[in-house]
Amino acid sequence: MAGGTWFTEDQREGLELSMQIKETLVSKQTPFQKLDIYDTYKYGKLLTLDDLVMTTEQDEFVYHELITHVPLFSHKNPENVLIIGGGDGGTAREIVKHPSIKTVDMVEIDEQVVRMSQQYMPFLAQELTNPKVHLFFQDGVEFVKNAASGYDVIIIDSTDPIGPGEGLLNTEFYRNCSKILNADGIIVSQAESLFNNPDWVKQIFAKMRNVFPVVQAYDGTIPTYPGALWCFAFCCKTPEPLDFFDAERFNRLNLDLKYYNKDIHRACFALPEFAKKLCNGD
Amino acid sequence: MAGGTWFTEDQREGLELSMQIKETLVSKQTPFQKLDIYDTYKYGKLLTLDDLVMTTEQDEFVYHELITHVPLFSHKNPENVLIIGGGDGGTAREIVKHPSIKTVDMVEIDEQVVRMSQQYMPFLAQELTNPKVHLFFQDGVEFVKNAASGYDVIIIDSTDPIGPGEGLLNTEFYRNCSKILNADGIIVSQAESLFNNPDWVKQIFAKMRNVFPVVQAYDGTIPTYPGALWCFAFCCKTPEPLDFFDAERFNRLNLDLKYYNKDIHRACFALPEFAKKLCNGD
């Protein structure tokens, strides 16, 4: 390895991604996990939890645009959104770009992720003080048991299903999400690495199918995530949202995005053959 | 870094990908470059040239299926194909799956790449002894200056435009390729990393546009390549091949592929917004 200080993610099975760091901005143990924020040469600011890459300044746009705009432009009039996780704020930042949004409830188990992002990664956390955004520092699993219904879109923006995120890969959790989702609503969940975590991908889709009549996979490429090709699960109670794309609204809003566009909205559902088999449980 | 022996690719700008190796199978200096083949834990056999990842057993299918089947299924009757580079044999292996193919001329500057792949990576090189495949160990730049015309598809399966591959990123080279390409022919070139080599991507597309009236980009995700999201340039003399997909042939051949499929054929041309701007020279 070249000189200097490096962050290395052990991606298991003898694979590592290393980024040279200019400076460690914060390194602490929260009540839930180890949290570090670095300034790197290639990817700008880097947030890690338990030494796994959560997001970087240079490629966060892929994940955050895909997990939000795909469901939001598939919904006819999204007003009330629930985020489970999403502590860095990138998901909320994209959601409030849609003027139809009235409330964003964000349930993050670890307040320190929000506070440290606000301090060191304002490009992500900038909208967490938006009056439309309501922060709940509690376990998402508990929140959805007791929440009032009425959500148009629910976004599960969680860590891997180990540690604090473990309870989120669970049929009961998905069932409680479904209860508080409107009849024409959409749930999107991050669904792990198609190349590196095929077992998690399979489990997520199998459990989603226990609850939702319509479950489709879409994907996008996030260079700093293990295996790069990342999967998302798109779930709804009727097939309509899958076929709907609000082209008029997309053109009118003219959002300044770096990954998502009209063509990507359709194309991201076209999965490589091996990935189709994984997500369809073949 | 965890214990054991590792191969590390310096992807520049403070980014490294490391793979733990079980065994070094070959390590030699050829007349053109340093060549190594390793057996790794995560990705199986790994071929590197000048310490850059060329291909791995576990993800080679993405690159080789995309660089071949996209142009071949866009052509009405591909019979004669030219490969520039492609020494490991993966591209030739995919091409001869199409029964319409009569000849595959493969021009590889470094015979040792072919010989070592035949010895250590037969899953890639297995078709290089196919009687349809004709090997020329010479410089592709020189070959296309003097070759007879008549190619339906030309595939530029080169290393990065440094070292032995340097002369391939060149308007004159593309012009000579165009001369030996049939009027309804297609040229596809690997076109570098959308995230990590934006300058190379821009140069390739700018120079292709000097020569070809129709130049379109498509992409795919190769986890072990820098930045993962890899670009390909699709060039032709008329727009027809872009709109044509031989669905009947695709269904009839029923190839056992792992990445490419009908949906991917269209979807791979839908580029992320930042990539569209790069390839279109905005």
Side-chain angles (χ1 to χ4, degrees), chain A residues 14 16 18 20 221 258 274, chain B residues 14 16 18 20 221 258 274:
Chain A
E16 293 183 349
S18 304
Q20 192 176 2
T221 302
K258 287 190 279 186
F274 82 96
Chain B
E16 293 183 350
S18 304
Q20 193 176 3
T221 303
K258 287 190 279 186
F274 81 97

Side-chain angles (χ1 to χ4, degrees), chain B residues 131-150:
Chain B
K132 293 180 177 178
V133 178
H134 309 281
L135 302 180
F136 300 83
F137 297 113
Q138 63 181 91
D139 186 353
V141 171
E142 293 304 311
F143 183 92
V144 299
K145 277 185 193 165
N146 308 305
S149 59

Side-chain angles (χ1 to χ4, degrees), chain A:
Chain A
M1 185 172 283
T5 309
W6 292 69
F7 164 78
T8 294
E9 175 168 330
D10 176 2
Q11 300 183 336
R12 284 167 303 166
E13 298 183 72
L15 193 68
E16 293 183 349
L17 183 74
S18 304
M19 292 181 237
Q20 192 176 2
I21 63 181
K22 288 182 194 170
E23 192 183 355
T24 300
L25 300 172
V26 61
S27 180
K28 59 158 66 180
Q29 186 70 42
T30 78
F32 299 95
Q33 52 208 340
K34 178 171 178 282
L35 182 160
D36 297 272
I37 300 178
Y38 306 96
D39 192 9
T40 72
Y41 283 91
K42 171 72 183 164
Y43 280 102
K45 304 290 191 301
L46 160 67
L47 167 68
T48 68
L49 295 175
D50 290 337
D51 293 322
L52 301 176
V53 172
M54 289 298 114
T55 200
T56 84
E57 188 169 358
Q58 289 305 312
D59 69 354
E60 57 87 10
F61 68 94
V62 183
Y63 178 87
H64 291 125
E65 291 184 13
L66 280 173
I67 205 168
T68 56
H69 299 301
V70 173
L72 288 170
F73 281 114
S74 298
H75 192 283
K76 289 188 178 159
N77 186 36
E79 294 185 341
N80 301 307
V81 177
L82 172 63
I83 305 170
I84 304 291
D88 60 47
T91 296
R93 180 196 66 196
E94 294 303 313
I95 292 170
V96 298
K97 290 180 180 174
H98 291 253
S100 64
I101 295 297
K102 290 180 177 166
T103 62
V104 180
D105 290 341
M106 185 176 122
V107 184
E108 166 60 55
I109 200 167
D110 191 344
E111 182 172 355
Q112 282 304 304
V113 178
V114 169
R115 299 306 169 213
M116 293 302 103
S117 295
Q118 288 180 314
Q119 189 168 346
Y120 295 105
M121 305 176 93
F123 55 93
L124 284 168
Q126 64 197 37
E127 294 293 346
L128 293 181
T129 51
N130 185 310
K132 292 180 178 179
V133 178
H134 308 281
L135 302 180
F136 299 83
F137 297 114
Q138 63 181 92
D139 185 353
V141 172
E142 293 304 311
F143 183 91
V144 299
K145 277 185 192 164
N146 308 304
S149 59
Y151 292 108
D152 299 307
V153 173
I154 298 176
I155 294 177
I156 304 172
D157 177 8
S158 64
T159 54
D160 293 339
I162 44 174
E166 194 173 346
L168 301 178
L169 205 180
N170 182 289
T171 301
E172 191 57 29
F173 169 67
Y174 296 148
R175 195 163 283 137
N176 287 327
C177 287
S178 176
K179 278 186 199 160
I180 57 175
L181 183 73
N182 289 334
D184 62 351
I186 302 162
I187 294 189
V188 162
S189 177
Q190 77 86 0
E192 295 297 331
S193 169
L194 289 164
F195 278 103
N196 285 37
N197 308 118
D199 290 342
W200 283 343
V201 173
K202 274 192 210 173
Q203 282 183 54
I204 291 168
F205 281 87
K207 291 184 180 182
M208 287 288 195
R209 288 207 170 82
N210 290 338
V211 176
F212 295 97
V214 178
V215 180
Q216 285 284 323
Y218 65 96
D219 67 12
T221 302
I222 302 154
T224 58
Y225 282 8
L229 189 63
W230 212 255
C231 192
F232 300 87
F234 183 106
C235 312
C236 34
K237 298 175 179 182
T238 71
E240 282 75 18
L242 260 187
D243 298 324
F244 181 72
F245 168 67
D246 197 335
E248 184 280 319
R249 178 157 38 111
F250 177 83
N251 292 332
R252 176 165 42 84
L253 294 186
N254 193 24
L255 302 176
D256 183 26
L257 304 178
K258 287 190 279 186
Y259 193 95
Y260 179 89
N261 58 37
K262 259 188 258 203
D263 296 334
I264 288 287
H265 184 93
R266 297 287 178 211
C268 68
F269 286 94
L271 264 63
E273 196 61 19
F274 82 96
K276 267 169 65 178
K277 287 177 180 159
L278 265 185
C279 299
N280 295 338
D282 297 351

Side-chain angles (χ1 to χ4, degrees), chain B residues 28-103:
Chain B
K28 61 159 65 178
Q29 186 70 40
T30 79
F32 299 96
Q33 51 208 341
K34 177 170 179 281
L35 182 160
D36 297 272
I37 299 177
Y38 305 97
D39 192 9
T40 70
Y41 283 91
K42 171 71 183 168
Y43 280 102
K45 304 290 192 299
L46 161 67
L47 167 68
T48 68
L49 295 175
D50 289 337
D51 293 321
L52 300 176
V53 172
M54 289 299 115
T55 200
T56 83
E57 188 169 359
Q58 289 305 311
D59 69 355
E60 56 89 8
F61 67 94
V62 183
Y63 179 87
H64 292 124
E65 292 185 12
L66 280 174
I67 205 167
T68 55
H69 299 302
V70 173
L72 288 169
F73 282 113
S74 298
H75 192 284
K76 288 187 177 159
N77 186 37
E79 294 185 340
N80 300 308
V81 177
L82 172 64
I83 306 171
I84 304 292
D88 59 49
T91 295
R93 180 196 67 198
E94 294 303 313
I95 291 169
V96 298
K97 290 180 180 174
H98 291 253
S100 65
I101 295 296
K102 291 179 177 166
T103 63

